[in-house]
Amino acid sequence: MPGRDAEMHPVLKAFVCGSISGTCSTLLFQPLDLLKTRLQTLQPAVNGSGRAGMVRLLFRVVRTESILGLWKGVSPSFARCIPGVGIYFSTLYMMKQKFLVDRSPTALESVFLGATARAVSGICMLPVTVVKTRYESGRFGYGSVYGALKNIYQTEGARGMFSGLTATLLRDAPFSGIYLMFYTQTKKLTLQDQLDPVLMPLLNFGCGIFAGILASLATQPADVIKTHMQLTPQKYHRTSQAIAFIYKDFGLVGFFRGGVPRALRRTLMAAMAWTVYEQMMEKMGLKS
């Protein structure tokens, strides 16, 4: 209804659009996130190399845990991504309205905006991220997201709830900054004014794919470190300890384990989230 739409604050609209886009992308690409987590924590003797390792693991999960096993951890993923993506987009929208009046951000401004919005979202949702990582690893028997959060707090305290904070910020903030920079700059190079409006979602998705691949490659080592720290926080008290362990046991290649499913998931998820978000914002009469 027009009256109800007019009452909604623009920042709240951005939150709703972001939350809906996060729901769609999370449901579709959860299996890739699970495979990424499992690949990063396999022992060297078991793990295959490259794409073959991912395919072998995919069939193993389906064989031992059924096809639905690929969506293990989807509950904490929803609990993290629905509000998390909403917080990211609403924070980004708010900063754009404050610092950029009727103009597109420069490359450097895009890095700052994307990184800051993701840092805010990441800190808010980190406890749920810890639960999601543990669900996907298959090593913990939590019954629910609430039960997992309660158990972690009782056994590990606040430190356990925010384990991997540094690695998470080192992964997520640069990813979003680099992603937004390439996404906005790539869109500037395209002839948007001459393009059929029907094809705009396809253009947005294509720009998102390109930006996602570059951002994923740049931040993969931080993702591996984060996974190890969140699965065994009692083992790693500092980020440097996790780095030393990964290098000792797996070498440099260890920092890129799980890179294929993560690049696929992060690239497709970000591209879809931005495409859905921008289309919904346009329908609501707002500039994203």
Side-chain angles (χ1 to χ4, degrees):
M1 291 177 65
R4 182 178 298 177
D5 186 61
E7 292 172 6
M8 189 181 292
H9 193 280
V11 174
L12 184 57
K13 285 184 181 180
F15 179 86
V16 171
C17 292
S19 296
I20 293 173
S21 70
T23 303
C24 298
S25 52
T26 298
L27 184 61
L28 279 174
F29 304 122
Q30 174 62 22
L32 290 171
D33 202 34
L34 179 133
L35 292 175
K36 180 266 300 183
T37 300
R38 298 283 178 93
L39 276 173
Q40 288 178 352
T41 53
L42 283 175
Q43 293 304 309
V46 180
N47 186 29
S49 60
R51 188 175 173 182
M54 183 180 75
V55 174
R56 192 183 307 122
L57 182 60
L58 169 66
F59 284 114
R60 185 192 305 169
V61 172
V62 172
R63 188 175 64 251
T64 59
E65 303 175 41
S66 83
I67 189 74
L68 292 178
L70 292 169
W71 274 268
K72 181 177 286 184
V74 76
S75 295
S77 284
F78 275 142
R80 168 181 173 257
C81 286
I82 294 175
V85 177
I87 292 169
Y88 168 74
F89 278 118
S90 57
T91 304
L92 186 62
Y93 178 82
M94 193 164 52
M95 288 194 299
K96 278 185 174 182
Q97 295 304 303
K98 186 172 179 62
F99 301 115
L100 306 173
V101 183
D102 297 327
R103 71 176 180 86
S104 299
T106 64
L108 208 57
E109 287 171 340
S110 294
V111 173
F112 170 77
L113 291 170
T116 303
R118 181 58 69 190
V120 171
S121 173
I123 292 170
C124 291
M125 303 310 300
L126 188 60
V128 185
T129 303
V130 174
V131 173
K132 181 188 80 72
T133 303
R134 294 188 181 189
Y135 257 96
E136 292 169 354
S137 72
R139 299 179 183 181
F140 299 83
Y142 299 131
S144 66
V145 175
Y146 173 74
L149 288 169
K150 185 178 178 181
N151 177 269
I152 293 170
Y153 183 74
Q154 289 176 340
T155 58
E156 302 170 36
R159 188 188 190 98
M161 300 276 280
F162 287 89
S163 57
L165 173 61
T166 303
T168 299
L169 292 179
L170 286 174
R171 177 199 67 170
D172 288 350
F175 177 89
S176 293
I178 294 167
Y179 180 92
L180 189 60
M181 177 187 71
F182 281 117
Y183 182 71
T184 54
Q185 296 306 306
T186 304
K187 284 185 68 176
K188 284 181 182 178
L189 295 175
T190 60
L191 305 174
Q192 297 182 57
D193 296 336
Q194 302 175 24
L195 195 67
D196 188 331
V198 178
L199 298 176
M200 278 304 295
L202 193 60
L203 172 67
N204 292 339
F205 195 79
C207 292
I209 292 288
F210 175 73
I213 290 171
L214 296 176
S216 292
L217 289 173
T219 57
Q220 177 61 21
D223 186 67
V224 176
I225 296 165
K226 177 216 67 116
T227 298
H228 280 270
M229 291 191 73
Q230 290 181 344
L231 290 179
T232 50
Q234 67 281 358
K235 186 175 181 180
Y236 309 115
H237 298 294
R238 295 189 305 277
T239 304
S240 58
Q241 291 177 317
I243 294 172
F245 171 81
I246 295 166
Y247 181 74
K248 179 184 175 185
D249 277 32
F250 307 109
L252 282 176
V253 72
F255 292 100
F256 292 90
R257 299 176 84 194
V260 174
R262 176 176 179 262
L264 283 172
R265 175 189 170 273
R266 287 302 296 261
T267 299
L268 292 171
M269 190 171 175
M272 171 169 277
W274 269 95
T275 301
V276 173
Y277 170 74
E278 293 199 322
Q279 289 303 113
M280 289 190 67
M281 289 288 279
E282 187 179 333
K283 297 290 183 188
M284 290 189 173
L286 294 173
K287 182 174 170 38
S288 58

